[in-house]
Amino acid sequence: MTELNELDDLYQEIILDHYRNPRNQQVVEAPDMQAHALNPFCGDEVDLQARLEDGRICEVCFKGRGCSISQASASIMTELLKGKTPEEALELYSAFRRLMFGEDISEEELDGMGELGALAGVRKFPVRIKCALLGWNSLDDAIGEYAKANE
Ligand code: ZN
């Protein structure tokens, strides 16, 4: 993919590592939250499942296919979600969206993003932003459904 070649070497490495060895592939038994997201633009798909314990995400997995950016972003996301409340997860999503769209984020938010920072260069390629946000769209849906079901 040409876009990927234009990113810094270190960032490319992080993205390709997650793409080739996606984290958190084990099925979550009895998930509390799940959602499927599709990016018709390049055929990327992400299925996300998570289980909560004491209001925090304790187990999370995803299955997906598609381009390296969509799959790496989903893989990094699953690593960041463990231990977070749904509210904290949505705050992280908000910060990541702002990073992708070149809007303001605080130093603290950037720190909390860890390897997601590797995807910052993707914002130079607007059509790829959808790929980077795909897993997060599934998270947003999963949390929305969960909140509705538990009102
Ligand atoms: Zn894609």
Short mmCIF file of all heavy atoms in Angstrom, two decimals, residues 18-87:
data_model
loop_
_atom_site.label_atom_id
_atom_site.label_comp_id
_atom_site.label_asym_id
_atom_site.label_seq_id
_atom_site.Cartn_x
_atom_site.Cartn_y
_atom_site.Cartn_z
N HIS A 18 1.13 -5.22 14.25
CA HIS A 18 -0.25 -5.50 14.70
C HIS A 18 -1.07 -6.15 13.58
O HIS A 18 -1.96 -6.97 13.85
CB HIS A 18 -0.94 -4.22 15.17
CG HIS A 18 -0.59 -3.87 16.59
ND1 HIS A 18 -1.28 -4.38 17.67
CD2 HIS A 18 0.40 -3.10 17.09
CE1 HIS A 18 -0.73 -3.91 18.78
NE2 HIS A 18 0.29 -3.14 18.46
N TYR A 19 -0.80 -5.78 12.34
CA TYR A 19 -1.53 -6.35 11.21
C TYR A 19 -1.19 -7.84 11.06
O TYR A 19 -2.08 -8.67 10.88
CB TYR A 19 -1.15 -5.60 9.93
CG TYR A 19 -1.76 -6.14 8.67
CD1 TYR A 19 -3.14 -6.26 8.54
CD2 TYR A 19 -0.95 -6.50 7.59
CE1 TYR A 19 -3.71 -6.75 7.36
CE2 TYR A 19 -1.51 -6.98 6.41
CZ TYR A 19 -2.89 -7.11 6.31
OH TYR A 19 -3.44 -7.58 5.15
N ARG A 20 0.09 -8.16 11.19
CA ARG A 20 0.52 -9.56 11.00
C ARG A 20 0.21 -10.42 12.21
O ARG A 20 -0.03 -11.62 12.08
CB ARG A 20 2.02 -9.60 10.70
CG ARG A 20 2.32 -9.03 9.32
CD ARG A 20 3.81 -9.01 9.07
NE ARG A 20 4.10 -8.40 7.78
CZ ARG A 20 5.14 -7.60 7.55
NH1 ARG A 20 6.00 -7.32 8.51
NH2 ARG A 20 5.32 -7.09 6.34
N ASN A 21 0.28 -9.82 13.39
CA ASN A 21 0.02 -10.56 14.63
C ASN A 21 -1.03 -9.83 15.45
O ASN A 21 -0.72 -9.27 16.50
CB ASN A 21 1.30 -10.67 15.48
CG ASN A 21 2.44 -11.25 14.68
OD1 ASN A 21 2.40 -12.39 14.26
ND2 ASN A 21 3.46 -10.44 14.45
N PRO A 22 -2.26 -9.81 14.96
CA PRO A 22 -3.29 -9.06 15.68
C PRO A 22 -3.48 -9.61 17.09
O PRO A 22 -3.49 -10.82 17.30
CB PRO A 22 -4.55 -9.22 14.83
CG PRO A 22 -4.28 -10.38 13.94
CD PRO A 22 -2.80 -10.47 13.78
N ARG A 23 -3.62 -8.70 18.06
CA ARG A 23 -3.78 -9.09 19.46
C ARG A 23 -5.25 -9.40 19.74
O ARG A 23 -6.14 -8.97 19.01
CB ARG A 23 -3.33 -7.97 20.39
CG ARG A 23 -2.04 -7.26 20.00
CD ARG A 23 -0.82 -8.20 19.91
NE ARG A 23 0.43 -7.43 19.96
CZ ARG A 23 1.13 -7.04 18.90
NH1 ARG A 23 0.74 -7.37 17.68
NH2 ARG A 23 2.24 -6.33 19.06
N ASN A 24 -5.46 -10.11 20.83
CA ASN A 24 -6.81 -10.35 21.34
C ASN A 24 -7.76 -10.98 20.31
O ASN A 24 -8.79 -10.43 19.95
CB ASN A 24 -7.40 -9.05 21.88
CG ASN A 24 -6.58 -8.51 23.03
OD1 ASN A 24 -6.35 -9.21 24.01
ND2 ASN A 24 -6.09 -7.30 22.91
N GLN A 25 -7.36 -12.15 19.84
CA GLN A 25 -8.16 -12.89 18.86
C GLN A 25 -9.02 -13.97 19.51
O GLN A 25 -9.86 -14.57 18.86
CB GLN A 25 -7.22 -13.56 17.82
CG GLN A 25 -6.41 -12.56 17.02
CD GLN A 25 -7.27 -11.79 16.07
OE1 GLN A 25 -7.78 -12.34 15.09
NE2 GLN A 25 -7.49 -10.51 16.35
N GLN A 26 -8.77 -14.27 20.78
CA GLN A 26 -9.52 -15.33 21.45
C GLN A 26 -10.98 -14.90 21.67
O GLN A 26 -11.24 -13.74 21.98
CB GLN A 26 -8.85 -15.72 22.77
CG GLN A 26 -9.09 -14.77 23.95
CD GLN A 26 -8.59 -13.34 23.73
OE1 GLN A 26 -7.71 -13.11 22.91
NE2 GLN A 26 -9.16 -12.39 24.43
N VAL A 27 -11.90 -15.84 21.45
CA VAL A 27 -13.33 -15.51 21.58
C VAL A 27 -13.67 -15.19 23.03
O VAL A 27 -13.21 -15.86 23.95
CB VAL A 27 -14.18 -16.71 21.09
CG1 VAL A 27 -15.66 -16.47 21.38
CG2 VAL A 27 -13.96 -16.93 19.60
N VAL A 28 -14.46 -14.16 23.22
CA VAL A 28 -14.95 -13.82 24.56
C VAL A 28 -16.25 -14.60 24.79
O VAL A 28 -17.21 -14.45 24.04
CB VAL A 28 -15.23 -12.30 24.69
CG1 VAL A 28 -15.95 -11.99 26.00
CG2 VAL A 28 -13.94 -11.51 24.58
N GLU A 29 -16.26 -15.46 25.81
CA GLU A 29 -17.48 -16.21 26.13
C GLU A 29 -18.46 -15.26 26.80
O GLU A 29 -18.08 -14.46 27.63
CB GLU A 29 -17.16 -17.37 27.09
CG GLU A 29 -16.08 -18.34 26.61
CD GLU A 29 -16.51 -19.19 25.42
OE1 GLU A 29 -17.73 -19.26 25.13
OE2 GLU A 29 -15.62 -19.77 24.76
N ALA A 30 -19.72 -15.36 26.43
CA ALA A 30 -20.77 -14.53 27.03
C ALA A 30 -20.43 -13.04 27.06
O ALA A 30 -20.33 -12.44 28.12
CB ALA A 30 -21.07 -15.02 28.45
N PRO A 31 -20.22 -12.45 25.89
CA PRO A 31 -19.88 -11.02 25.86
C PRO A 31 -21.06 -10.15 26.29
O PRO A 31 -22.21 -10.48 26.03
CB PRO A 31 -19.54 -10.77 24.38
CG PRO A 31 -20.27 -11.83 23.63
CD PRO A 31 -20.30 -13.03 24.54
N ASP A 32 -20.75 -9.05 26.97
CA ASP A 32 -21.78 -8.07 27.33
C ASP A 32 -22.01 -7.07 26.20
O ASP A 32 -23.07 -6.46 26.12
CB ASP A 32 -21.33 -7.28 28.57
CG ASP A 32 -21.19 -8.19 29.78
OD1 ASP A 32 -22.20 -8.79 30.17
OD2 ASP A 32 -20.07 -8.30 30.31
N MET A 33 -20.99 -6.89 25.41
CA MET A 33 -21.08 -5.90 24.33
C MET A 33 -20.53 -6.52 23.06
O MET A 33 -19.51 -7.23 23.11
CB MET A 33 -20.20 -4.68 24.65
CG MET A 33 -20.47 -4.02 25.97
SD MET A 33 -19.71 -2.37 26.05
CE MET A 33 -17.98 -2.75 25.96
N GLN A 34 -21.17 -6.25 21.93
CA GLN A 34 -20.60 -6.66 20.67
C GLN A 34 -21.15 -5.81 19.54
O GLN A 34 -22.25 -5.27 19.64
CB GLN A 34 -20.81 -8.14 20.39
CG GLN A 34 -22.24 -8.62 20.53
CD GLN A 34 -22.28 -10.15 20.46
OE1 GLN A 34 -21.47 -10.79 19.82
NE2 GLN A 34 -23.24 -10.73 21.16
N ALA A 35 -20.38 -5.72 18.48
CA ALA A 35 -20.82 -4.98 17.31
C ALA A 35 -19.95 -5.35 16.12
O ALA A 35 -18.84 -5.85 16.27
CB ALA A 35 -20.76 -3.47 17.56
N HIS A 36 -20.51 -5.08 14.96
CA HIS A 36 -19.82 -5.35 13.71
C HIS A 36 -19.74 -4.03 12.94
O HIS A 36 -20.69 -3.27 12.93
CB HIS A 36 -20.64 -6.38 12.90
CG HIS A 36 -20.10 -6.62 11.54
ND1 HIS A 36 -20.73 -6.15 10.41
CD2 HIS A 36 -18.99 -7.27 11.12
CE1 HIS A 36 -20.02 -6.53 9.35
NE2 HIS A 36 -18.97 -7.20 9.75
N ALA A 37 -18.60 -3.76 12.36
CA ALA A 37 -18.48 -2.54 11.56
C ALA A 37 -17.86 -2.88 10.21
O ALA A 37 -17.00 -3.75 10.10
CB ALA A 37 -17.61 -1.51 12.29
N LEU A 38 -18.34 -2.19 9.21
CA LEU A 38 -17.91 -2.44 7.83
C LEU A 38 -17.53 -1.12 7.18
O LEU A 38 -18.23 -0.13 7.33
CB LEU A 38 -19.06 -3.10 7.07
CG LEU A 38 -18.90 -3.29 5.56
CD1 LEU A 38 -17.86 -4.37 5.27
CD2 LEU A 38 -20.23 -3.66 4.92
N ASN A 39 -16.41 -1.13 6.49
CA ASN A 39 -16.00 0.04 5.72
C ASN A 39 -16.07 -0.33 4.24
O ASN A 39 -15.17 -0.97 3.73
CB ASN A 39 -14.56 0.42 6.11
CG ASN A 39 -13.98 1.50 5.22
OD1 ASN A 39 -14.71 2.18 4.50
ND2 ASN A 39 -12.67 1.66 5.27
N PRO A 40 -17.16 0.04 3.58
CA PRO A 40 -17.35 -0.40 2.20
C PRO A 40 -16.25 0.11 1.28
O PRO A 40 -15.96 -0.50 0.27
CB PRO A 40 -18.71 0.19 1.79
CG PRO A 40 -19.23 0.93 2.96
CD PRO A 40 -18.21 0.95 4.05
N PHE A 41 -15.62 1.21 1.68
CA PHE A 41 -14.60 1.79 0.80
C PHE A 41 -13.48 0.82 0.46
O PHE A 41 -13.08 0.69 -0.67
CB PHE A 41 -14.01 3.07 1.41
CG PHE A 41 -12.92 3.63 0.55
CD1 PHE A 41 -13.23 4.32 -0.61
CD2 PHE A 41 -11.59 3.44 0.88
CE1 PHE A 41 -12.22 4.81 -1.42
CE2 PHE A 41 -10.58 3.93 0.06
CZ PHE A 41 -10.90 4.62 -1.09
N CYS A 42 -12.97 0.10 1.47
CA CYS A 42 -11.95 -0.88 1.10
C CYS A 42 -12.26 -2.27 1.61
O CYS A 42 -11.39 -3.14 1.61
CB CYS A 42 -10.52 -0.41 1.39
SG CYS A 42 -10.04 -0.16 3.04
N GLY A 43 -13.52 -2.49 2.03
CA GLY A 43 -13.93 -3.85 2.39
C GLY A 43 -13.43 -4.30 3.75
O GLY A 43 -13.43 -5.48 4.05
N ASP A 44 -13.02 -3.35 4.58
CA ASP A 44 -12.56 -3.70 5.92
C ASP A 44 -13.74 -4.09 6.80
O ASP A 44 -14.79 -3.47 6.73
CB ASP A 44 -11.87 -2.51 6.62
CG ASP A 44 -10.77 -1.91 5.78
OD1 ASP A 44 -10.09 -2.67 5.08
OD2 ASP A 44 -10.61 -0.67 5.84
N GLU A 45 -13.51 -5.08 7.66
CA GLU A 45 -14.54 -5.47 8.61
C GLU A 45 -13.92 -5.70 9.98
O GLU A 45 -12.79 -6.19 10.07
CB GLU A 45 -15.18 -6.79 8.18
CG GLU A 45 -16.11 -6.66 7.00
CD GLU A 45 -16.82 -7.97 6.72
OE1 GLU A 45 -17.56 -8.44 7.61
OE2 GLU A 45 -16.59 -8.52 5.63
N VAL A 46 -14.68 -5.35 11.00
CA VAL A 46 -14.26 -5.63 12.38
C VAL A 46 -15.47 -6.10 13.17
O VAL A 46 -16.53 -5.48 13.13
CB VAL A 46 -13.65 -4.38 13.07
CG1 VAL A 46 -13.46 -4.63 14.56
CG2 VAL A 46 -12.31 -4.00 12.44
N ASP A 47 -15.31 -7.23 13.84
CA ASP A 47 -16.28 -7.73 14.81
C ASP A 47 -15.65 -7.61 16.18
O ASP A 47 -14.58 -8.16 16.41
CB ASP A 47 -16.58 -9.22 14.56
CG ASP A 47 -17.72 -9.38 13.60
OD1 ASP A 47 -18.82 -8.93 13.94
OD2 ASP A 47 -17.50 -9.97 12.52
N LEU A 48 -16.34 -6.90 17.05
CA LEU A 48 -15.78 -6.66 18.38
C LEU A 48 -16.67 -7.28 19.44
O LEU A 48 -17.90 -7.23 19.33
CB LEU A 48 -15.71 -5.14 18.59
CG LEU A 48 -15.09 -4.67 19.91
CD1 LEU A 48 -13.57 -4.83 19.86
CD2 LEU A 48 -15.45 -3.22 20.18
N GLN A 49 -16.05 -7.87 20.44
CA GLN A 49 -16.79 -8.41 21.59
C GLN A 49 -16.06 -8.03 22.85
O GLN A 49 -14.81 -7.99 22.87
CB GLN A 49 -16.84 -9.94 21.54
CG GLN A 49 -17.63 -10.49 20.39
CD GLN A 49 -17.78 -11.99 20.50
OE1 GLN A 49 -16.81 -12.67 20.84
NE2 GLN A 49 -18.96 -12.49 20.26
N ALA A 50 -16.82 -7.75 23.90
CA ALA A 50 -16.17 -7.42 25.17
C ALA A 50 -17.03 -7.88 26.33
O ALA A 50 -18.25 -7.96 26.22
CB ALA A 50 -15.91 -5.92 25.27
N ARG A 51 -16.39 -8.18 27.42
CA ARG A 51 -17.08 -8.55 28.65
C ARG A 51 -16.69 -7.56 29.73
O ARG A 51 -15.54 -7.13 29.81
CB ARG A 51 -16.69 -9.97 29.06
CG ARG A 51 -17.61 -10.58 30.12
CD ARG A 51 -17.36 -12.08 30.22
NE ARG A 51 -16.05 -12.39 30.77
CZ ARG A 51 -15.77 -12.34 32.08
NH1 ARG A 51 -16.70 -12.01 32.96
NH2 ARG A 51 -14.56 -12.63 32.52
N LEU A 52 -17.67 -7.20 30.55
CA LEU A 52 -17.43 -6.24 31.62
C LEU A 52 -17.43 -6.95 32.96
O LEU A 52 -18.13 -7.96 33.15
CB LEU A 52 -18.54 -5.18 31.66
CG LEU A 52 -18.68 -4.26 30.45
CD1 LEU A 52 -19.97 -3.46 30.55
CD2 LEU A 52 -17.50 -3.32 30.36
N GLU A 53 -16.64 -6.43 33.87
CA GLU A 53 -16.69 -6.90 35.25
C GLU A 53 -16.57 -5.67 36.13
O GLU A 53 -15.64 -4.86 35.93
CB GLU A 53 -15.53 -7.87 35.50
CG GLU A 53 -15.88 -8.98 36.47
CD GLU A 53 -14.78 -10.04 36.51
OE1 GLU A 53 -13.82 -9.83 37.26
OE2 GLU A 53 -14.89 -11.03 35.77
N ASP A 54 -17.49 -5.51 37.08
CA ASP A 54 -17.51 -4.32 37.94
C ASP A 54 -17.45 -3.04 37.12
O ASP A 54 -16.74 -2.09 37.48
CB ASP A 54 -16.33 -4.36 38.94
CG ASP A 54 -16.42 -5.56 39.86
OD1 ASP A 54 -17.55 -5.99 40.17
OD2 ASP A 54 -15.35 -6.08 40.27
N GLY A 55 -18.16 -3.03 36.01
CA GLY A 55 -18.24 -1.82 35.20
C GLY A 55 -17.02 -1.52 34.35
O GLY A 55 -16.95 -0.47 33.72
N ARG A 56 -16.06 -2.43 34.34
CA ARG A 56 -14.87 -2.21 33.52
C ARG A 56 -14.69 -3.34 32.50
O ARG A 56 -15.07 -4.49 32.76
CB ARG A 56 -13.60 -2.14 34.39
CG ARG A 56 -13.58 -0.88 35.22
CD ARG A 56 -12.32 -0.72 36.04
NE ARG A 56 -12.43 0.52 36.80
CZ ARG A 56 -12.11 1.72 36.31
NH1 ARG A 56 -11.59 1.84 35.11
NH2 ARG A 56 -12.28 2.79 37.04
N ILE A 57 -14.11 -3.00 31.38
CA ILE A 57 -13.86 -3.99 30.33
C ILE A 57 -12.76 -4.92 30.82
O ILE A 57 -11.64 -4.48 31.09
CB ILE A 57 -13.46 -3.29 29.02
CG1 ILE A 57 -14.63 -2.43 28.52
CG2 ILE A 57 -13.03 -4.33 27.97
CD1 ILE A 57 -14.27 -1.47 27.40
N CYS A 58 -13.10 -6.21 30.96
CA CYS A 58 -12.08 -7.13 31.49
C CYS A 58 -11.58 -8.07 30.39
O CYS A 58 -10.49 -8.61 30.48
CB CYS A 58 -12.61 -7.91 32.68
SG CYS A 58 -13.99 -8.97 32.29
N GLU A 59 -12.41 -8.28 29.38
CA GLU A 59 -12.00 -9.16 28.28
C GLU A 59 -12.49 -8.51 27.00
O GLU A 59 -13.61 -8.02 26.93
CB GLU A 59 -12.74 -10.50 28.39
CG GLU A 59 -11.97 -11.63 28.97
CD GLU A 59 -12.76 -12.92 28.82
OE1 GLU A 59 -13.62 -13.17 29.69
OE2 GLU A 59 -12.55 -13.63 27.83
N VAL A 60 -11.67 -8.57 25.98
CA VAL A 60 -12.08 -7.99 24.71
C VAL A 60 -11.41 -8.78 23.59
O VAL A 60 -10.30 -9.29 23.75
CB VAL A 60 -11.72 -6.47 24.66
CG1 VAL A 60 -10.26 -6.24 24.96
CG2 VAL A 60 -12.10 -5.84 23.34
N CYS A 61 -12.14 -8.94 22.49
CA CYS A 61 -11.53 -9.60 21.34
C CYS A 61 -12.10 -9.00 20.07
O CYS A 61 -13.14 -8.34 20.08
CB CYS A 61 -11.78 -11.10 21.36
SG CYS A 61 -13.43 -11.55 20.84
N PHE A 62 -11.37 -9.18 18.99
CA PHE A 62 -11.93 -8.77 17.70
C PHE A 62 -11.53 -9.78 16.65
O PHE A 62 -10.54 -10.50 16.79
CB PHE A 62 -11.47 -7.36 17.32
CG PHE A 62 -10.13 -7.29 16.63
CD1 PHE A 62 -10.05 -7.13 15.25
CD2 PHE A 62 -8.95 -7.41 17.35
CE1 PHE A 62 -8.82 -7.07 14.60
CE2 PHE A 62 -7.71 -7.35 16.72
CZ PHE A 62 -7.65 -7.18 15.34
N LYS A 63 -12.39 -9.87 15.62
CA LYS A 63 -12.05 -10.63 14.43
C LYS A 63 -12.24 -9.65 13.28
O LYS A 63 -13.22 -8.90 13.26
CB LYS A 63 -13.03 -11.80 14.23
CG LYS A 63 -12.87 -12.90 15.27
CD LYS A 63 -11.84 -13.91 14.82
CE LYS A 63 -11.72 -15.06 15.81
NZ LYS A 63 -10.67 -14.86 16.81
N GLY A 64 -11.31 -9.67 12.37
CA GLY A 64 -11.47 -8.72 11.29
C GLY A 64 -10.72 -9.13 10.06
O GLY A 64 -9.97 -10.11 10.06
N ARG A 65 -10.96 -8.38 9.01
CA ARG A 65 -10.17 -8.55 7.80
C ARG A 65 -10.19 -7.23 7.06
O ARG A 65 -11.09 -6.41 7.24
CB ARG A 65 -10.70 -9.67 6.93
CG ARG A 65 -12.15 -9.48 6.58
CD ARG A 65 -12.65 -10.67 5.80
NE ARG A 65 -14.07 -10.43 5.52
CZ ARG A 65 -14.75 -11.02 4.57
NH1 ARG A 65 -14.16 -11.89 3.79
NH2 ARG A 65 -16.01 -10.75 4.38
N GLY A 66 -9.17 -7.04 6.26
CA GLY A 66 -9.10 -5.80 5.51
C GLY A 66 -7.69 -5.25 5.53
O GLY A 66 -6.73 -5.99 5.76
N CYS A 67 -7.58 -3.96 5.30
CA CYS A 67 -6.27 -3.35 5.12
C CYS A 67 -5.50 -3.27 6.44
O CYS A 67 -6.08 -3.39 7.51
CB CYS A 67 -6.42 -1.96 4.51
SG CYS A 67 -7.12 -0.75 5.63
N SER A 68 -4.22 -3.06 6.30
CA SER A 68 -3.35 -3.05 7.48
C SER A 68 -3.73 -1.96 8.47
O SER A 68 -3.65 -2.17 9.68
CB SER A 68 -1.88 -2.89 7.06
OG SER A 68 -1.73 -1.73 6.28
N ILE A 69 -4.15 -0.81 7.98
CA ILE A 69 -4.47 0.30 8.89
C ILE A 69 -5.70 -0.03 9.73
O ILE A 69 -5.72 0.17 10.95
CB ILE A 69 -4.65 1.61 8.10
CG1 ILE A 69 -3.29 2.05 7.56
CG2 ILE A 69 -5.26 2.70 8.97
CD1 ILE A 69 -3.33 3.19 6.57
N SER A 70 -6.73 -0.59 9.11
CA SER A 70 -7.95 -0.92 9.86
C SER A 70 -7.68 -2.01 10.89
O SER A 70 -8.14 -1.92 12.03
CB SER A 70 -9.07 -1.37 8.90
OG SER A 70 -8.75 -2.61 8.28
N GLN A 71 -6.93 -3.01 10.51
CA GLN A 71 -6.70 -4.13 11.42
C GLN A 71 -5.71 -3.77 12.53
O GLN A 71 -5.88 -4.18 13.67
CB GLN A 71 -6.22 -5.36 10.64
CG GLN A 71 -7.19 -5.81 9.56
CD GLN A 71 -8.61 -6.05 10.07
OE1 GLN A 71 -8.82 -6.82 10.98
NE2 GLN A 71 -9.59 -5.35 9.51
N ALA A 72 -4.69 -2.99 12.19
CA ALA A 72 -3.73 -2.57 13.23
C ALA A 72 -4.42 -1.66 14.23
O ALA A 72 -4.21 -1.79 15.44
CB ALA A 72 -2.55 -1.85 12.59
N SER A 73 -5.25 -0.76 13.75
CA SER A 73 -5.94 0.16 14.66
C SER A 73 -6.85 -0.62 15.61
O SER A 73 -6.88 -0.35 16.82
CB SER A 73 -6.76 1.17 13.85
OG SER A 73 -7.46 2.04 14.72
N ALA A 74 -7.57 -1.61 15.09
CA ALA A 74 -8.46 -2.42 15.93
C ALA A 74 -7.65 -3.21 16.96
O ALA A 74 -8.04 -3.32 18.13
CB ALA A 74 -9.29 -3.36 15.07
N SER A 75 -6.51 -3.76 16.53
CA SER A 75 -5.68 -4.55 17.43
C SER A 75 -5.14 -3.68 18.57
O SER A 75 -5.19 -4.07 19.74
CB SER A 75 -4.53 -5.17 16.62
OG SER A 75 -3.61 -5.81 17.48
N ILE A 76 -4.64 -2.51 18.23
CA ILE A 76 -4.11 -1.59 19.26
C ILE A 76 -5.25 -1.17 20.19
O ILE A 76 -5.08 -1.11 21.41
CB ILE A 76 -3.45 -0.35 18.61
CG1 ILE A 76 -2.23 -0.77 17.77
CG2 ILE A 76 -3.04 0.66 19.68
CD1 ILE A 76 -1.65 0.35 16.90
N MET A 77 -6.41 -0.93 19.60
CA MET A 77 -7.57 -0.53 20.41
C MET A 77 -7.88 -1.58 21.48
O MET A 77 -8.08 -1.24 22.65
CB MET A 77 -8.78 -0.32 19.51
CG MET A 77 -10.06 -0.01 20.29
SD MET A 77 -11.50 0.09 19.20
CE MET A 77 -11.87 -1.65 18.98
N THR A 78 -7.91 -2.85 21.07
CA THR A 78 -8.28 -3.89 22.05
C THR A 78 -7.29 -3.92 23.22
O THR A 78 -7.67 -4.19 24.34
CB THR A 78 -8.36 -5.30 21.41
OG1 THR A 78 -7.11 -5.64 20.83
CG2 THR A 78 -9.48 -5.37 20.40
N GLU A 79 -6.03 -3.61 22.92
CA GLU A 79 -5.05 -3.60 24.01
C GLU A 79 -5.30 -2.46 24.98
O GLU A 79 -5.02 -2.57 26.16
CB GLU A 79 -3.64 -3.47 23.43
CG GLU A 79 -3.22 -4.73 22.71
CD GLU A 79 -1.72 -4.92 22.76
OE1 GLU A 79 -0.98 -3.99 22.35
OE2 GLU A 79 -1.28 -5.98 23.19
N LEU A 80 -5.79 -1.35 24.44
CA LEU A 80 -5.99 -0.16 25.28
C LEU A 80 -7.27 -0.23 26.10
O LEU A 80 -7.43 0.48 27.08
CB LEU A 80 -6.03 1.10 24.40
CG LEU A 80 -4.70 1.50 23.76
CD1 LEU A 80 -4.94 2.57 22.70
CD2 LEU A 80 -3.72 2.01 24.81
N LEU A 81 -8.22 -1.08 25.67
CA LEU A 81 -9.53 -1.07 26.31
C LEU A 81 -9.57 -1.77 27.65
O LEU A 81 -10.42 -1.46 28.49
CB LEU A 81 -10.57 -1.73 25.38
CG LEU A 81 -10.92 -0.95 24.12
CD1 LEU A 81 -11.94 -1.73 23.30
CD2 LEU A 81 -11.46 0.43 24.48
N LYS A 82 -8.68 -2.73 27.85
CA LYS A 82 -8.76 -3.52 29.09
C LYS A 82 -8.60 -2.65 30.32
O LYS A 82 -7.67 -1.85 30.41
CB LYS A 82 -7.70 -4.62 29.08
CG LYS A 82 -8.13 -5.78 28.20
CD LYS A 82 -7.11 -6.89 28.22
CE LYS A 82 -7.25 -7.71 26.96
NZ LYS A 82 -6.08 -8.53 26.69
N GLY A 83 -9.53 -2.83 31.26
CA GLY A 83 -9.48 -2.08 32.50
C GLY A 83 -10.22 -0.76 32.45
O GLY A 83 -10.38 -0.09 33.46
N LYS A 84 -10.68 -0.37 31.25
CA LYS A 84 -11.39 0.90 31.13
C LYS A 84 -12.90 0.72 31.32
O LYS A 84 -13.45 -0.31 30.96
CB LYS A 84 -11.13 1.52 29.75
CG LYS A 84 -9.74 2.07 29.59
CD LYS A 84 -9.64 2.97 28.39
CE LYS A 84 -8.36 3.79 28.40
NZ LYS A 84 -7.13 3.05 28.68
N THR A 85 -13.54 1.76 31.83
CA THR A 85 -15.00 1.78 31.83
C THR A 85 -15.44 2.16 30.42
O THR A 85 -14.65 2.72 29.66
CB THR A 85 -15.54 2.85 32.82
OG1 THR A 85 -15.15 4.13 32.33
CG2 THR A 85 -15.01 2.64 34.22
N PRO A 86 -16.70 1.86 30.06
CA PRO A 86 -17.18 2.29 28.74
C PRO A 86 -17.00 3.80 28.53
O PRO A 86 -16.65 4.23 27.43
CB PRO A 86 -18.66 1.89 28.76
CG PRO A 86 -18.71 0.70 29.68
CD PRO A 86 -17.68 1.01 30.75
N GLU A 87 -17.21 4.59 29.58
CA GLU A 87 -17.05 6.05 29.46
C GLU A 87 -15.61 6.41 29.11
O GLU A 87 -15.35 7.25 28.25
CB GLU A 87 -17.45 6.76 30.75
CG GLU A 87 -18.94 6.68 31.11
CD GLU A 87 -19.37 5.28 31.58
OE1 GLU A 87 -18.52 4.53 32.13
OE2 GLU A 87 -20.55 4.93 31.42
#
